[in-house]
Amino acid sequence: MKKIKLAILTFVLAFSFSVQSNSKTVPASFADLAERLMPSVVNISTTQTVTTTSNPFPFTFPPGSPFEDMFREFGTPQERKSSALGSGFIIDEKGIVVTNNHVIQNAEDIIVRVNGDEEYKAKVIGADPLSDIAVLQLETKDKFTPVGFGDSDKARIGDWVIAIGNPFGLGGTVTSGIISARNRSIGLSRYEDYIQTDASINSGNSGGPLFDMNGDVIGINTAILGRNGSIGIGFSIPANSAKVVIDQLIEFGETKRGWLGVRIQDVTQEIADVEKLDEPRGALVASVAENSPSDKGGIKAGDIILEFNGVRINQMKELPAIVAKTKVGTTVKVKIWRNKKELVKNILLGRLETSDDFKVSDKKSKPPKDIIIEDLKITVRKLTKEEIKIRKLPNQTSGLIVTQIGNTSPLLKSVEANSIIVEAQKIKIKTAKDLEKIVKDVLKSNQKTILLAIYNNQNQRRYIGVKLD
């Protein structure tokens, strides 16, 4: 009987401890936290002048008609004021406000409302379209209640968060939810590492803060999925990435991002197999800009960047963000994979905003005849100097333009007509015979996979791994 009572007591204590532990992680109310944070969240309204032309005729044309633009020229230009709404948050008692760039872009007047009723004019300290971040200064000597940034890298999927903002112009609206996912990319900007949340975010929430349960900002609410308002999927810029940009905008009025000078792509399983890399990881260098930091530091097309400044690169998309956050003028160690072994290169980082495009050649040449590569079931011709100029390729480029692709070609799904084959198995291609020889060597081997470097129709240099029959 004593053993039974002891077992029951143990169970009751364990259950009680579990309930108490859960009560600490599941908030009974967000009221105290919201009350403390709301004075730091602001509503932003902007105005700009939009010029339109009226139709002077008593008839109209359907949208897209060639006459629509023609007759619009005869109309009278008319100006009207257009307004937009957004959110933001105060990070300094002197009235420094953070918001999205798209909230204030092209604005002529910016009005910031604090605590729902106090209105202030604001000027732009600095704005960055690439990250969609802007920093404003309220034109007043009043003091304000700022909020601080948390460590967004420590935020975990399932953590509670609250969003405060100005949805549909209603102002002072608090919503709660959890972090649904991390490291999201949705195709909005060059640098994407969004926090996904199910806390309701709607039109007008842009630029507002995403808070953790300590009241620290871990994200800037930026985008929603769905045209008709929130459907439970919102995206926020992580605080750690945003803070680097914000600090630069406050100090310099502009960004100063690190620049390597390379175009990169994912390392696929086929490319990893060809390169004898243990697994698909890192960022494959598709091309190197002439006279760029990478060019001067010895990085070549075909290298795989495994580490940057001591940080392991697991996926290609991680590298641009890490490079951008690194101080311009810093010498960093870049670990690469070349010829089936690791090498380390010391690179002096340049500045992205002042980087130059690839140089081109002015020389001309006549197009040669088409040649069929039987083993690949494609037709090619030699790249000319004139085509290098027209397509704005590096002036040392050599290769073959793909003019036709057969229906049974192994390249059918991965290469477009007018693409340029510049390398095969890391060997530069100058003539059709060069490519034919390499293909035959691959077909005789056990691997049966060929690694091609191409310029696609957008003139982006890429590597593709192709299985040959």
Side-chain angles (χ1 to χ4, degrees):
M1 182 63 70
K2 290 183 179 180
K3 290 183 178 180
I4 294 175
K5 289 182 178 180
L6 181 61
I8 293 173
L9 180 60
T10 302
F11 173 78
V12 170
L13 289 173
F15 179 77
S16 175
F17 177 76
S18 175
V19 170
Q20 290 177 9
S21 298
N22 288 335
S23 68
K24 293 179 181 178
T25 57
V26 181
S29 171
F30 297 100
D32 290 341
L33 186 60
E35 185 179 3
R36 173 163 64 91
L37 298 174
M38 286 182 70
S40 304
V41 182
V42 302
N43 303 334
I44 300 174
S45 60
T46 65
T47 57
Q48 60 177 297
T49 301
V50 178
T51 302
T52 59
T53 304
S54 62
N55 184 4
F57 301 100
F59 49 82
T60 60
F61 296 97
S65 168
F67 298 103
E68 186 180 22
D69 291 333
M70 182 186 302
F71 282 92
R72 187 182 292 121
E73 295 178 3
F74 295 97
T76 303
Q78 295 180 341
E79 292 186 349
R80 63 180 178 85
K81 291 291 184 180
S82 174
S83 61
L85 299 172
S87 305
F89 55 98
I90 299 168
I91 61 169
D92 186 279
E93 65 175 8
K94 294 180 179 180
I96 296 179
V97 173
V98 172
T99 186
N100 282 143
N101 174 71
H102 75 259
V103 171
I104 55 87
Q105 193 170 24
N106 301 322
E108 296 168 359
D109 296 299
I110 303 173
I111 300 297
V112 175
R113 185 179 294 109
V114 183
N115 289 327
D117 51 8
E118 296 291 334
E119 291 188 353
Y120 302 90
K121 287 187 176 182
K123 64 180 180 179
V124 179
I125 294 176
D128 177 43
L130 290 181
S131 62
D132 197 16
I133 293 173
V135 180
L136 312 177
Q137 174 67 64
L138 302 187
E139 296 179 336
T140 178
K141 293 183 179 181
D142 292 350
K143 298 296 183 181
F144 301 90
T145 303
V147 289
F149 288 98
D151 187 349
S152 58
D153 289 342
K154 292 182 179 179
R156 302 169 61 201
I157 296 173
D159 280 351
W160 282 101
V161 289
I162 65 171
I164 305 178
N166 182 31
F168 303 111
L170 295 174
T173 300
V174 181
T175 57
S176 67
I178 62 169
I179 294 176
S180 307
R182 295 289 313 271
N183 311 118
R184 287 299 198 205
S185 178
I186 56 177
L188 284 181
S189 66
R190 181 194 295 259
Y191 305 104
E192 294 193 347
D193 184 28
Y194 293 119
I195 296 172
Q196 180 182 324
T197 178
D198 67 351
S200 294
I201 297 173
N202 292 279
S203 177
N205 274 106
S206 291
L210 187 71
F211 290 107
D212 63 15
M213 291 299 95
N214 295 320
D216 294 324
V217 178
I218 59 167
I220 302 173
N221 300 323
T222 297
I224 57 176
L225 191 62
R227 296 182 179 179
N228 299 318
S230 177
I231 58 173
I233 302 179
F235 300 94
S236 302
I237 304 168
N240 288 9
S241 299
K243 195 172 185 305
V244 175
V245 175
I246 292 166
D247 289 344
Q248 290 182 356
L249 292 177
I250 292 174
E251 183 176 358
F252 307 113
E254 60 184 357
T255 55
K256 294 185 177 182
R257 290 184 171 91
W259 177 59
L260 270 179
V262 295
R263 289 187 182 275
I264 56 175
Q265 65 180 83
D266 290 317
V267 178
T268 64
Q269 184 63 59
E270 290 80 8
I271 291 173
D273 291 343
V274 171
E275 293 297 315
K276 304 297 182 186
L277 192 61
D278 55 350
E279 60 179 333
R281 61 187 175 96
L284 176 63
V285 178
S287 62
V288 180
E290 293 180 2
N291 297 318
S292 66
S294 291
D295 188 27
K296 295 175 181 178
I299 290 180
K300 299 178 180 179
D303 292 341
I304 298 175
I305 297 176
L306 303 177
E307 286 186 11
F308 178 86
N309 208 22
V311 179
R312 175 187 168 99
I313 306 300
N314 295 305
Q315 300 180 42
M316 176 270 289
K317 68 178 184 178
E318 298 171 354
L319 183 61
I322 295 172
V323 174
K325 289 189 289 187
T326 306
K327 187 177 180 180
V328 175
T330 302
T331 299
V332 297
K333 292 187 180 297
V334 179
K335 183 182 289 187
I336 63 172
W337 182 261
R338 179 190 295 172
N339 296 329
K340 303 175 181 61
K341 62 181 180 181
E342 289 184 355
L343 300 173
V344 175
K345 299 292 183 179
N346 293 316
I347 308 296
L348 178 64
L349 280 191
R351 183 184 174 192
L352 175 67
E353 291 81 359
T354 59
S355 61
D356 296 325
D357 293 331
F358 291 144
K359 296 179 180 179
V360 298
S361 172
D362 292 327
K363 297 182 179 179
K364 299 182 180 181
S365 61
K366 295 181 180 180
K369 296 181 179 180
D370 286 355
I371 300 173
I372 297 174
I373 308 294
E374 294 286 355
D375 292 323
L376 293 179
K377 297 178 177 61
I378 61 173
T379 304
V380 299
R381 61 177 172 77
K382 191 175 180 180
L383 179 69
T384 67
K385 294 293 184 181
E386 178 64 12
E387 288 164 332
I388 291 173
K389 177 185 176 182
I390 292 172
R391 295 183 63 157
K392 297 181 179 180
L393 301 173
N395 57 8
Q396 77 278 12
T397 304
S398 64
L400 303 170
I401 292 183
V402 179
T403 58
Q404 292 184 26
I405 304 173
N407 292 333
T408 58
S409 170
L411 276 62
L412 184 62
K413 295 183 179 180
S414 53
V415 176
E416 301 172 298
N418 295 320
S419 295
I420 304 169
I421 299 174
V422 293
E423 284 184 12
Q425 302 298 79
K426 296 292 187 69
I427 300 172
K428 286 187 177 182
I429 299 299
K430 295 183 178 180
T431 67
K433 288 184 178 180
D434 293 340
L435 181 58
E436 286 176 329
K437 181 180 183 303
I438 294 171
V439 172
K440 290 186 183 298
D441 289 342
V442 171
L443 287 170
K444 292 177 184 177
S445 69
N446 295 326
Q447 188 170 282
K448 295 289 192 298
T449 299
I450 188 169
L451 182 65
L452 300 176
I454 70 166
Y455 279 101
N456 61 18
N457 288 340
Q458 288 74 46
N459 295 332
Q460 295 175 330
R461 197 178 193 275
R462 295 183 61 80
Y463 280 90
I464 58 171
V466 180
K467 287 284 187 182
L468 303 181
D469 296 331

